[in-house]
Amino acid sequence: MNNHAEMESYMRLALEEAQLAFDAGEVPVGAVLVRNGEIVSRAHNHVERAHDATQHAEMLCLREGMAKLGGRLADCTLYVTLEPCAMCAGACVNAKLGRLVYGAFDEVAGCCGSKMDLTDKCFLHSVETWGGILEEECKSLLSRFFQALR
């Protein structure tokens, strides 16, 4: 499997998680943490049901991954359907994440290249970042969710 095909494959799993969030009335964001071809953790947003703004898919995936792997995630890749916000981008940096791959760009709150970039040389650790993987599918799910709210 080539690199792009591999990224798309894991992003489809993140989209499955995002659909679970959508079905639960949460903003449809999903994430999958992978290490050496093995899924370490999967999660989707739990903000509304937990009444906790830190329950983003990325945060949940990173927490579980660090608990399972004993700390730093330098040899892991996090796949997420939406460009991470400041909180999640900061968590990726602090977890020493090796690579971040996201689907939809977030021009309003994205902190991995769109609004600002907290993952690239702002701190002691930089995270290799790829955006736009299955972008249309990721954007479509988000658009359907927000259209249903109106």
Side-chain angles (χ1 to χ4, degrees):
M1 192 180 315
N2 71 33
N3 198 30
H4 195 75
E6 181 178 343
M7 287 190 274
E8 286 186 359
S9 175
Y10 288 119
M11 188 60 71
R12 290 194 192 291
L13 296 177
L15 275 164
E16 289 176 8
E17 288 292 325
Q19 183 64 54
L20 292 173
F22 182 100
D23 295 343
E26 297 277 354
V27 174
V29 177
V32 176
L33 184 67
V34 178
R35 178 183 183 205
N36 299 325
E38 300 289 325
I39 295 171
V40 176
S41 59
R42 297 172 64 138
H44 55 274
N45 279 358
H46 283 244
V47 172
E48 299 302 323
R49 76 186 100 167
H51 306 288
D52 182 349
T54 68
Q55 297 290 304
H56 287 194
E58 302 96 306
M59 298 295 288
L60 297 171
C61 245
L62 292 171
R63 283 181 190 138
E64 184 178 342
M66 287 185 288
K68 283 182 177 178
L69 301 175
R72 304 296 182 219
L73 303 174
D75 56 351
C76 295
T77 300
L78 180 66
Y79 295 86
V80 62
T81 58
L82 179 64
E83 180 181 357
C85 67
M87 173 181 68
C88 296
C92 289
V93 169
N94 285 315
K96 305 282 193 271
L97 183 69
R99 184 167 74 158
L100 170 68
V101 178
Y102 62 88
F105 292 87
D106 185 347
E107 300 297 329
V108 174
C111 289
C112 300
S114 291
K115 190 73 172 175
M116 64 179 57
D117 193 349
L118 298 178
T119 60
D120 186 29
K121 300 179 183 104
C122 287
F123 303 101
L124 291 176
H125 178 75
S126 293
V127 179
E128 178 188 343
T129 305
W130 292 75
I133 304 300
L134 298 183
E135 180 180 12
E136 291 307 313
E137 291 93 326
C138 295
K139 281 175 34 178
S140 175
L141 187 59
L142 286 159
S143 293
R144 285 189 288 130
F145 177 80
F146 288 112
Q147 284 172 355
L149 288 179
R150 294 184 185 125

